[in-house]
Amino acid sequence: MARVVVLGGGIAGHTAALHLTRMLTRSDEVVVVTPNSNWNWIPSNIWVGVGKMKSDQVTFKLGPIYKRKGIEFHQALATAIHPSGGPGRPRPYVDVTYTDPARAGEHGELDYDYLVNATGPKLNFGATPGLGPDGHSYSVCTAGHAVDASAALQGSIQRMKDGERQVLVVGMGHGTCTCEGAAFEYAFNVEHEVRQAGVRDRADIVYLTNEYELGDFGVGGLTFTQRGFQTTSKLWTESLFRERGIRAITGAHVTGVEKGVVHYEQVDGSANSLFFDFAMLLPPFRGVDLHGYDADGADITDELFAPNGFMKVDADYSGKPFEEWRAEDWPSTYQVPRYPNIFAVGIAFAPPHQISRPRKSPSGTVIAPSPPRTGMPSGIMGRLAATNITVMIQHGDSAQIRTASMADMGAACVASAGSGLRQGSAASMTMYPVVPDLVKYPNTGRSLKDTFGEIGLSGHWIKLLLHYMFIYKAKARPGWHLIPE
């Protein structure tokens, strides 16, 4: 009998847990530890953030799902990992602090044979003074945040209806943010909403981003073939901004947010301020502050985790310069080298470096997107961890470990640009691989036949279909495992 503990109930962790219950025997145990009682389909928070969906349409309770699937559920926050056990405890274990109201603040210790770290990110609003719901801007990172953003946006729309002009700022709240695609999507949904409300002429919409160029999306931009001609995501995205009348400020690191004004530094070294009436600015991510201890109780946090709190896995962390980056730098199994029974997947693993070219301002401020590791890649990694743990349990040292490097992994993104079955649209993009491989694909780093972008109403239908399909999958309804990650 083996005991597998999964830390985190987001896309990567939930996917891993469900697949483990499908692959393992009944005598094996699957345990999920997550501080939240709800599962959230985060991509649809965009629609919650503009009032087109309610929070209960993008969330559901995890407890009943796990009970039905025979998964042991602990609503708790993991605080430390003991990969070699501890004094008087030969088995590895995890320290947890319960957030379940019935056991709030209680300490616990959970033994494991295999561990999946899928804790996701800590929303690091504190990295930028005044950023976030406790400051002077809004967020769509959680369903609750999105509800508040929607209310504030509707307030701005009402003021426009009353004759006032409004400045609406959407984008990134720090120079190292990721999830540029989410900010892009929200900006176009906001534009659609004010247009539908009949007040587009009273709205100045500004997209504020750390991308050096539009269309970078944290992956260094894309080159694809469209109607027989090669184009770039830069030209493609710039045309969308021109068509919708959205002004873009690129290469920006937000230094602080005050009531009604955002201050930012750009790659060229200039310091600027932008006055606003409504601002949705995403925070940077960091790890969730897990600690590590060896069998004697000595602190090994620095061995297990990078300075940003993400877990180090089978990647090249040597810090080589941009010109020496290779596809092989990226992890392929997501195992911790010294502890191969520990996997870190989704946002929880530490990337070896950015995908986009790193840039600094003259003052030394890093202004470059962090690598995206959400959505489709997270699900693939979660399933990979479940598959490899299963074969390790079944075959021991002779197990044939599968790989899924982001340098050999495709991804698809459908970013809505307004909702409505007849009036909505979406920008649909695919890329292969996520991390460019200039050895395999010398010209662009990616396969041209597998990398493309289009915008249209049909993309919105796909986006809506994906919403319902993945919630069905996450609820482990009949045939759920046939729906791809």
Side-chain angles (χ1 to χ4, degrees):
M1 183 181 80
R3 182 175 170 89
V4 185
V5 173
V6 179
L7 306 181
I11 291 175
H14 190 60
T15 299
L18 291 181
H19 280 295
L20 282 164
T21 61
R22 185 175 65 86
M23 297 174 180
L24 296 177
T25 66
R26 290 185 179 181
S27 62
D28 297 312
E29 296 178 297
V30 179
V31 181
V32 172
V33 179
T34 182
N36 302 309
S37 60
N38 288 333
W39 189 85
N40 178 198
W41 177 239
I42 293 174
S44 292
N45 285 354
I46 300 297
W47 285 336
V48 177
V50 293
K52 291 303 182 184
M53 280 192 175
K54 297 185 182 299
S55 61
D56 61 5
Q57 291 178 270
V58 301
T59 60
F60 60 80
K61 292 290 183 185
L62 284 167
I65 308 297
Y66 290 153
K67 184 177 181 180
R68 172 160 53 88
K69 301 302 292 183
I71 296 171
E72 184 180 320
F73 177 45
H74 295 261
Q75 188 182 334
L77 178 71
T79 57
I81 300 172
H82 303 258
S84 302
R89 297 194 61 162
R91 293 185 72 188
Y93 66 97
V94 179
D95 292 332
V96 302
T97 300
Y98 285 89
T99 58
D100 184 337
R103 304 178 66 180
E106 183 181 329
H107 175 74
E109 297 175 348
L110 301 174
D111 292 345
Y112 68 84
D113 295 299
Y114 296 88
L115 182 71
V116 180
N117 177 8
T119 46
K122 177 180 180 179
L123 303 177
N124 194 16
F125 291 106
T128 302
L131 182 69
D134 293 331
H136 306 288
S137 63
Y138 293 92
S139 158
V140 290
C141 292
T142 70
H145 288 175
V147 169
D148 293 340
S150 174
L153 176 62
Q154 296 307 317
S156 280
I157 290 174
Q158 184 58 54
R159 285 189 286 276
M160 285 185 272
K161 288 181 177 180
D162 294 338
E164 295 182 38
R165 193 166 192 85
Q166 297 278 290
V167 178
L168 313 176
V169 179
V170 176
M172 320 308 292
H174 191 273
T176 63
C177 284
T178 186
C179 289
E180 286 74 17
F184 165 90
E185 183 175 13
Y186 190 72
F188 282 93
N189 272 267
V190 166
E191 194 278 337
H192 180 81
E193 288 305 305
V194 298
R195 189 178 296 278
Q196 291 297 106
V199 293
R200 183 64 183 89
D201 59 326
R202 294 184 185 138
D204 295 321
I205 304 175
V206 182
Y207 180 67
L208 182 65
T209 181
N210 56 351
E211 299 161 272
Y212 185 70
E213 297 175 337
L214 287 178
D216 181 275
F217 296 121
V219 295
L222 307 171
T223 299
F224 44 74
T225 303
Q226 198 171 48
R227 297 193 178 112
F229 298 94
Q230 280 192 21
T231 187
T232 65
S233 55
K234 175 180 183 291
L235 294 174
W236 185 72
T237 306
E238 285 175 343
S239 70
L240 292 177
F241 276 74
R242 282 194 300 270
E243 288 170 8
R244 308 299 173 92
I246 299 175
R247 179 164 69 94
I249 298 172
T250 57
H253 161 68
V254 175
T255 57
V257 186
E258 299 178 45
K259 185 176 182 180
V261 60
V262 56
H263 305 286
Y264 62 94
E265 176 186 4
Q266 287 185 275
V267 172
D268 63 7
S270 61
N272 307 276
S273 296
L274 176 64
F275 293 92
F276 66 83
D277 298 287
F278 168 86
M280 196 295 290
L281 299 172
L282 298 178
F285 295 164
R286 63 165 288 112
V288 297
D289 298 325
L290 275 168
H291 295 272
Y293 299 95
D294 68 12
D296 298 320
D299 195 313
I300 57 170
T301 302
D302 290 345
E303 177 187 341
L304 292 178
F305 300 94
N308 58 13
F310 295 120
M311 182 168 266
K312 292 188 281 190
V313 291
D314 58 317
D316 183 346
Y317 298 109
S318 61
K320 60 177 70 170
F322 173 77
E323 291 72 21
E324 297 177 16
W325 289 359
R326 298 291 182 269
E328 293 76 21
D329 300 342
W330 287 77
S332 58
T333 68
Y334 307 93
Q335 291 170 281
V336 175
R338 186 176 165 191
Y339 305 102
N341 63 332
I342 300 178
F343 295 75
V345 293
I347 295 178
F349 86 85
H353 45 64
Q354 291 134 320
I355 301 174
S356 303
R357 178 187 288 271
R359 289 179 170 87
K360 291 183 179 180
S361 71
S363 65
T365 302
V366 176
I367 306 177
S370 295
R373 312 188 294 290
T374 55
M376 186 174 174
S378 286
I380 292 172
M381 293 176 210
R383 182 168 184 161
L384 175 79
T387 300
N388 282 337
I389 287 170
T390 300
V391 298
M392 290 167 75
I393 290 170
Q394 293 172 345
H395 302 289
D397 293 339
S398 63
Q400 296 294 310
I401 300 298
R402 297 186 184 182
T403 62
S405 168
M406 288 178 64
D408 194 27
M409 181 191 301
C413 175
V414 183
S416 66
S419 62
L421 289 177
R422 289 183 297 175
Q423 296 173 319
S425 62
S428 305
M429 293 167 279
T430 68
M431 70 183 94
Y432 179 84
V434 178
V435 174
D437 187 340
L438 288 167
V439 175
K440 262 188 201 176
Y441 309 103
N443 295 322
T444 67
R446 296 188 175 97
S447 165
L448 285 174
K449 70 182 181 67
D450 299 307
T451 303
F452 71 88
E454 290 187 8
I455 187 165
L457 177 60
S458 60
H460 171 68
W461 296 340
I462 292 172
K463 175 82 175 182
L464 197 59
L465 174 64
L466 291 174
H467 166 85
Y468 291 107
M469 186 169 68
F470 280 108
I471 286 184
Y472 180 94
K473 177 184 175 76
K475 288 183 176 179
R477 298 300 189 194
W480 66 268
H481 61 283
L482 300 175
I483 300 173
E485 272 63 48

